[in-house]
């Protein structure tokens, strides 16, 4: 899964933005597909031509000179002079050809981006069944290992999340929290065991439609080099009212009024002109703006100061949709209906925060 090394992929795919991204890139690189298929061919033709011209060009010029220069004036000196001069000339000529070749390579690099978005065709699921609403998510003896790995990253997970429940995932780093989220949003497929949405096997449901009902904040949030507004809307059909509401819930209003261009501020490549916390909140706004039925936050508030974090957690509490929250700070998930506590890819225990703290030694230790 080489394409996963691009941090953007998780968010692109999670938001079913493959098509959007594809169109965006295709507009800029209409001809790149063509270039990809032709590059090697063209490259071979170019080098054959340049080789031919380099080698035979000077000889041809030499032969021509035999024809056109009057016999008496042709001596060995002129001969060498003509040969050297035409060699230099043809070498320059071939470097122009090489430039074309380089351009072909550049085009080809753009194609690699296309390759990533094209991965949609190999989506792990291709079911048809349409869901009205997400009523429940159930894992039944789910095992998962990443491609090429022997050991299971997740082992025998069984749990059920019902609508309007707020569920926290907790556990030490590397225990498999983000991987579970990847399985829930249908990016990964269980190696063994099954996942059911509303009692229907996830492989039978229309996965794109399902993903559109989800608001997801990945652990490595990704912003596009577009306006803050575009980064929130993400090419969806949304009303102004919804956007304003999402800005309030993600506590962005104040800062936006301080920016001269407000919502129209362009985020630079990689988001270097906004703070980490602003970036996180823009992505929170993106994830909640369409009123998703299921909210999934992977360390979504990790870069925020305690005060801002508390405001957002409070806002989340007041939202009624189903929520699955991964947070390093246990205060963020303290009030969840249920916390699933994981160790090493297995469910160690689950229950309310107070249940776990008072009954589970490992959790008590972990919560310190
Ligand atoms: N794409 C991948 N390919 C192979 N192994 C992976 C991949 N992603 C994660 N892993 C491995 O799977 C295990 C679980 O990773 P995961 O990201 O789910 O942990 P996590 O609980 O989210 O950790 P953290 O709290 O640090 O975010 C880790 O051992 C990790 O090295
Ligand atoms: Mg993680």
């Amino acid at each position: 899964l080489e394409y996963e090394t691009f941090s953007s992929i998780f968010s692109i795919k999670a938001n079913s933005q493959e098509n959007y991204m594809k169109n965006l890139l295709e507009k800029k690189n209409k001809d790149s597909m063509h270039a990809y298929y032709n590059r090697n061919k063209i490259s071979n033709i170019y080098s054959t031509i340049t080789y031919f011209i380099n080698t035979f060009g000077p000889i041809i010029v030499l032969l021509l000179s035999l024809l056109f220069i009057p016999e008496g004036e042709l001596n060995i000196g002129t001969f060498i002079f003509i040969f050297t001069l035409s060699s230099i000339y043809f070498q320059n000529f071939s470097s122009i050809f090489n430039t074309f070749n380089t351009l072909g390579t550049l085009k080809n690099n753009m194609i690699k981006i296309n390759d990533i978005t094209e991965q949609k065709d190999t989506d792990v699921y291709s079911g048809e069944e349409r869901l009205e609403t997400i009523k429940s998510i159930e894992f039944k003896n789910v095992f998962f290992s990443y491609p090429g790995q022997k050991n299971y990253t997740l082992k025998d997970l069984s749990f059920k999340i019902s609508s309007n429940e707020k569920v926290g995932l907790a556990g030490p780093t590397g225990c498999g929290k983000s991987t579970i989220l990847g399985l829930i949003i249908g990016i990964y497929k269980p190696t063994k065991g099954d996942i059911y949405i509303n009692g229907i096997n996830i492989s039978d449901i229309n996965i794109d439609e399902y993903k559109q009902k989800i608001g997801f904040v990945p652990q490595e949030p990704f912003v596009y080099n577009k306006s803050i507004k575009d980064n929130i809307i993400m090419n969806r059909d949304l009303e102004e009212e919804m956007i304003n509401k999402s800005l309030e819930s993600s506590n962005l209003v104040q800062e936006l009024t301080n920016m001269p261009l407000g919502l129209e501020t362009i985020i630079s490549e990689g988001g270097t002109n906004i703070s980490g916390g602003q970036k996180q909140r823009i992505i929170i706004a993106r994830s909640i703006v369409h009123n998703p039925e299921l909210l999934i936050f992977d360390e979504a508030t990790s870069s925020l100061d305690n005060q801002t974090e508390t405001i957002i957690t409070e806002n989340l509490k007041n939202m009624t949709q189903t929520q699955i929250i991964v947070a390093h700070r246990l205060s963020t998930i303290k009030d969840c209906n249920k916390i699933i506590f994981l160790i090493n890819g297995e469910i160690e225990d689950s229950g309310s925060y107070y249940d776990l703290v008072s009954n589970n030694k490992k959790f008590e230790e972990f919560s310190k």
Side-chain angles (χ1 to χ4, degrees):
L1 291 177
E2 188 185 82
Y3 63 87
E4 272 183 21
T5 53
F6 293 84
S7 63
S8 64
I9 268 318
F10 218 64
S11 25
I12 293 171
K13 293 185 88 72
N15 290 306
S16 288
Q17 292 288 334
E18 298 96 330
N19 278 331
Y20 170 55
M21 281 301 287
K22 200 172 117 191
N23 291 339
L24 204 75
L25 293 164
E26 256 173 13
K27 244 177 252 158
K28 289 181 186 166
N29 312 290
K30 256 188 194 160
D31 304 324
S32 350
M33 214 46 169
H34 192 66
Y36 178 64
Y37 291 118
N38 284 325
R39 202 189 84 73
N40 282 337
K41 202 168 98 187
I42 290 168
S43 157
N44 282 339
I45 294 172
Y46 277 163
S47 28
T48 311
I49 291 174
T50 36
Y51 178 78
F52 185 84
I53 290 174
N54 268 340
T55 317
F56 295 104
I59 295 173
I60 291 168
V61 171
L62 215 55
L63 291 175
L64 287 176
S65 67
L66 283 177
L67 284 177
F68 291 106
I69 298 174
E71 239 176 79
E73 289 174 30
L74 198 64
N75 57 37
I76 193 80
T78 336
F79 222 74
I80 290 170
F81 174 71
I82 291 173
F83 190 77
T84 316
L85 207 64
S86 59
S87 293
I88 292 169
Y89 177 77
F90 282 111
Q91 261 161 27
N92 286 335
F93 189 73
S94 68
S95 77
I96 293 173
F97 262 85
N98 282 334
T99 308
F100 278 112
N101 216 349
T102 313
L103 283 175
T105 316
L106 285 177
K107 268 190 171 178
N108 189 29
N109 289 343
M110 292 309 296
I111 288 294
K112 293 204 175 110
I113 298 170
N114 228 331
D115 270 0
I116 297 165
T117 48
E118 284 290 310
Q119 285 289 340
K120 185 178 160 55
D121 296 335
T122 59
D123 244 355
V124 290
Y125 297 119
S126 54
E128 306 266 303
E129 202 148 338
R130 308 184 63 166
L131 300 177
E132 281 278 311
T133 55
I134 302 174
K135 297 192 190 99
S136 66
I137 295 165
E138 188 171 11
F139 275 45
K140 278 191 185 162
N141 307 102
V142 169
F143 288 75
F144 178 79
S145 60
Y146 280 99
Q149 297 209 331
K150 268 198 207 142
N151 298 332
Y152 286 118
T153 297
L154 300 176
K155 282 156 260 171
D156 206 11
L157 298 189
S158 296
F159 61 83
K160 186 172 179 177
I161 298 170
S162 306
S163 67
N164 301 51
E165 249 188 324
K166 296 189 168 77
V167 176
L169 294 182
T173 176
C175 70
K177 303 178 294 288
S178 299
T179 310
I180 293 179
L181 300 185
L183 284 158
I184 292 177
I185 60 179
I187 286 178
Y188 308 136
K189 201 176 192 167
T191 313
K192 232 165 69 181
D194 290 298
I195 298 172
Y196 297 91
I197 313 295
N198 300 359
I200 306 164
N201 197 309
I202 193 168
S203 54
D204 295 328
I205 64 165
N206 181 326
I207 202 78
D208 271 341
E209 205 180 46
Y210 166 70
K211 282 199 259 183
Q212 276 155 26
K213 297 183 196 297
I214 299 175
F216 177 54
V217 180
Q219 193 164 11
E220 270 155 42
F222 188 80
V223 283
Y224 302 91
N225 178 207
K226 303 186 115 217
S227 71
I228 293 181
K229 192 173 183 180
D230 285 342
N231 265 283
I232 292 173
I233 297 177
M234 295 286 280
N235 213 35
R236 292 168 292 190
D237 200 11
L238 302 169
E239 281 154 32
E240 207 66 30
E241 176 62 32
M242 298 164 85
I243 299 165
N244 293 334
K245 217 175 134 200
S246 77
L247 296 177
E248 263 168 46
S249 305
S250 55
N251 199 37
L252 272 168
V253 180
Q254 187 58 47
E255 277 147 293
L256 284 174
T257 37
N258 291 342
M259 295 182 189
L261 291 175
L263 262 184
E264 300 302 330
T265 306
I266 303 289
I267 300 178
S268 60
E269 197 103 27
T272 44
N273 64 338
I274 51 170
S275 77
Q278 282 165 344
K279 188 163 145 185
Q280 276 198 327
R281 278 172 296 141
I282 288 167
I283 292 174
I284 291 176
R286 176 196 291 168
S287 75
I288 58 180
V289 69
H290 60 303
N291 266 326
E293 294 172 26
L294 171 63
L295 261 183
I296 301 180
F297 279 18
D298 195 350
E299 299 282 7
T301 52
S302 59
S303 317
L304 307 179
D305 59 69
N306 283 325
Q307 200 187 350
T308 317
E309 211 265 336
T310 310
I311 294 172
I312 291 183
T313 308
E314 276 306 312
N315 292 344
L316 276 179
K317 251 189 258 171
N318 295 328
M319 295 184 201
T320 53
Q321 62 261 84
T322 317
Q323 296 174 14
I324 303 172
I325 301 168
V326 172
H328 188 69
R329 267 188 283 209
L330 286 177
S331 60
T332 315
I333 55 173
K334 219 169 190 162
D335 293 322
C336 284
N337 304 106
K338 179 166 79 183
I339 292 174
I340 298 174
F341 179 44
L342 297 138
I343 292 179
N344 241 324
E346 286 177 275
I347 297 181
E348 164 70 24
D349 207 346
S350 71
S352 76
Y353 177 81
Y354 298 97
D355 269 355
L356 292 176
V357 176
S358 42
N359 300 322
N360 191 305
K361 275 257 163 328
K362 286 183 189 165
F363 188 80
E364 196 212 329
E365 195 57 36
F366 176 73
S367 68
K368 276 176 190 165

